[in-house]
């Protein structure tokens, strides 16, 4: 922006943008196939609360953020079990999704 915004103006602008973007995938104006995956409003609300608790966490520093590593390990373990794998034979890692995930899959 040409000038700074106060908190209320910033949040108002971002809420407006979010509302416009939501209408571009939720069926109000159009449907977007393959771009949005979510489990409904309740899950989104829970994810926002959890994210707020761990916003500054950095999984690259497991001694400082041990519970982020614990959550990542549990997610990997659950994913291995979905495919009938063994945590003693398979491993995994967490990526931010999208292109990073594809690059890591090709790289490994």
């Amino acid at each position: 922006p040409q000038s700074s915004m106060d908190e209320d103006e910033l949040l108002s602008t971002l809420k407006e943008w979010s509302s416009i973007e939501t209408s571009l995938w939720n069926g109000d104006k159009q449907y977007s196939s393959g771009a949005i995956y979510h489990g409904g409003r309740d899950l989104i609300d829970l994810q926002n609360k959890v994210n707020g608790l761990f916003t500054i966490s950095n999984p690259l520093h497991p001694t400082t953020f041990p519970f982020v590593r614990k959550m990542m390990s549990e997610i990997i373990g659950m994913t291995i079990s979905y495919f009938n794998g063994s945590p003693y034979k398979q491993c995994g890692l967490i990526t931010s999704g999208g292109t990073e995930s594809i690059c890591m899959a090709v790289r490994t």
Side-chain angles (χ1 to χ4, degrees), residues 34-55:
I36 303 297
Y37 304 96
H38 67 88
R41 186 78 248 165
D42 289 343
L43 182 57
I44 291 170
D45 291 342
L46 175 60
Q47 289 170 324
N48 287 336
K49 290 175 187 175
V50 171
N51 186 55
L53 295 171
F54 291 92
T55 297

Side-chain angles (χ1 to χ4, degrees), residues 18-32:
S18 176
S19 177
I20 291 168
E21 287 187 351
T22 298
S23 74
L24 296 175
W25 60 261
N26 72 353
D28 286 348
K29 291 186 179 180
Q30 67 187 41
Y31 285 104
S32 184

Side-chain angles (χ1 to χ4, degrees), residues 79-91:
T79 305
I80 289 170
S81 73
Y82 291 149
F83 292 97
N84 298 315
S86 167
Y88 302 106
K89 294 181 181 177
Q90 284 81 39
C91 61

Side-chain angles (χ1 to χ4, degrees), residues 94-98 100-101:
I94 303 288
T95 66
S96 62
E100 180 189 11
S101 297

